[in-house]
């Protein structure tokens, strides 16, 4: 069975992708250089929000590279970035919740154009249930910003439509931080 890295190199990735030992060994052997020391204590404790498997469109994706563990890591990374950028506890919570659900409406692990928009619509419709499930209270005024960040996380900045640019201007920091947290989790993927 070819490794995830070999499949990626050959542009043969399937709809459902999972890590394997060969790929993990490659990642370990190709770690990026060390980062400078950072303050030991973030301003807010990072939030590890783990979405339930049944929130995913296809529950097979819950164990894939865009599944539950990816969502949890992006939630923590978004929380840490929020602290670095001076967001309040309420803003940090809303961003972390958005990060935890940003990929839950994917149909597959490949590019899946529009999955951010689908996840944002689902988030907007179910934010009360999501908040209860995570034991978090989302301020009503931040739900739109969080949903906008989810909707735009999978769209390259230079591909924003006029409507997306207008939405981005209203939720610039949330969008930038969610995109950054999602990108930071790509470290674990077998990319050169």
């Amino acid at each position: 069975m070819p490794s995830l890295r070999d499949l990626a190199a050959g542009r043969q990735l399937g709809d459902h992708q999972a890590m394997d030992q060969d790929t993990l060994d490659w990642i370990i052997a190709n770690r990026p250089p060390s980062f400078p020391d950072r303050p030991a204590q973030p301003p807010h404790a990072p939030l590890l929000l783990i979405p339930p498997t049944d929130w995913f469109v296809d529950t097979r994706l819950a164990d894939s590279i865009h599944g539950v563990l990816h969502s949890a890591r992006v939630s923590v990374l978004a929380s840490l970035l929020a602290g670095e950028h001076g967001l309040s506890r309420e803003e940090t919570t809303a961003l972390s919740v958005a990060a935890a659900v940003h990929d839950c409406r994917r149909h597959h692990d490949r590019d899946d154009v529009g999955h951010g928009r689908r996840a944002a619509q689902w988030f907007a419709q179910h934010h009360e249930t999501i908040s209860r499930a995570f034991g978090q209270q989302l301020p009503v005024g931040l739900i739109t910003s969080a949903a906008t960040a989810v909707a735009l996380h999978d769209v390259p900045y230079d591909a924003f439509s006029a409507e997306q640019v207008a939405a981005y201007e209203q939720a610039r920091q949330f969008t930038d931080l969610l995109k950054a947290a999602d990108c930071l989790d790509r470290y674990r993927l077998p990319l050169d």
Side-chain angles (χ1 to χ4, degrees):
M1 178 82 163
S3 70
L4 183 61
R5 176 166 161 49
D6 292 338
L7 291 171
R11 298 194 173 276
Q12 298 174 335
L13 291 169
D15 285 351
H16 307 289
Q17 303 161 21
M19 277 293 161
D20 57 87
Q21 193 58 54
D22 288 343
T23 299
L24 291 171
D25 291 342
W26 182 91
I27 291 169
I28 290 168
N30 292 277
R31 289 183 186 274
S34 296
F35 293 98
D37 290 336
R38 301 298 300 163
Q41 189 65 22
H44 311 296
L47 291 174
L48 173 62
L49 303 178
I50 302 171
T53 300
D54 63 356
W55 287 1
F56 289 81
V57 170
D58 181 340
T59 55
R60 292 178 298 174
L61 289 172
D63 290 334
S64 74
I65 64 170
H66 291 104
V68 171
L69 296 177
H70 167 66
S71 298
R73 286 189 301 268
V74 174
S75 174
V76 168
L77 291 166
S79 182
L80 291 169
L81 288 172
E84 287 287 319
H85 288 270
L87 272 64
S88 69
R89 179 169 294 288
E90 292 79 21
E91 291 168 324
T92 299
T93 298
L95 178 63
S96 297
V97 168
V101 301
H102 77 283
D103 276 342
C104 72
R105 301 281 93 184
R106 276 183 163 279
H107 293 153
H108 53 74
D109 280 320
R110 289 176 284 125
D111 57 352
D112 197 6
V113 175
H115 75 271
R117 179 184 38 77
R118 290 191 302 271
Q121 290 169 343
W122 182 83
F123 172 72
Q125 292 170 351
H126 297 92
H127 66 86
E128 291 173 356
T129 301
I130 294 165
S131 296
R132 276 193 308 276
F134 286 144
Q136 303 296 323
Q137 189 66 5
L138 293 183
V140 174
L142 296 176
I143 292 168
T144 300
S145 295
T148 298
V150 172
L152 297 176
H153 90 273
D154 64 332
V155 182
Y157 290 103
D158 62 359
F160 282 180
S161 68
E163 182 181 326
Q164 289 168 325
V165 168
Y168 173 68
E169 291 302 324
Q170 299 301 311
R172 179 183 290 266
Q173 193 168 36
F174 270 38
T175 302
D176 291 346
L177 294 177
L178 178 55
K179 282 177 165 284
D182 197 24
C183 286
L184 283 170
D185 193 50
R186 290 188 194 138
Y187 157 74
R188 70 192 166 81
L189 297 176
L191 303 174
D192 288 327

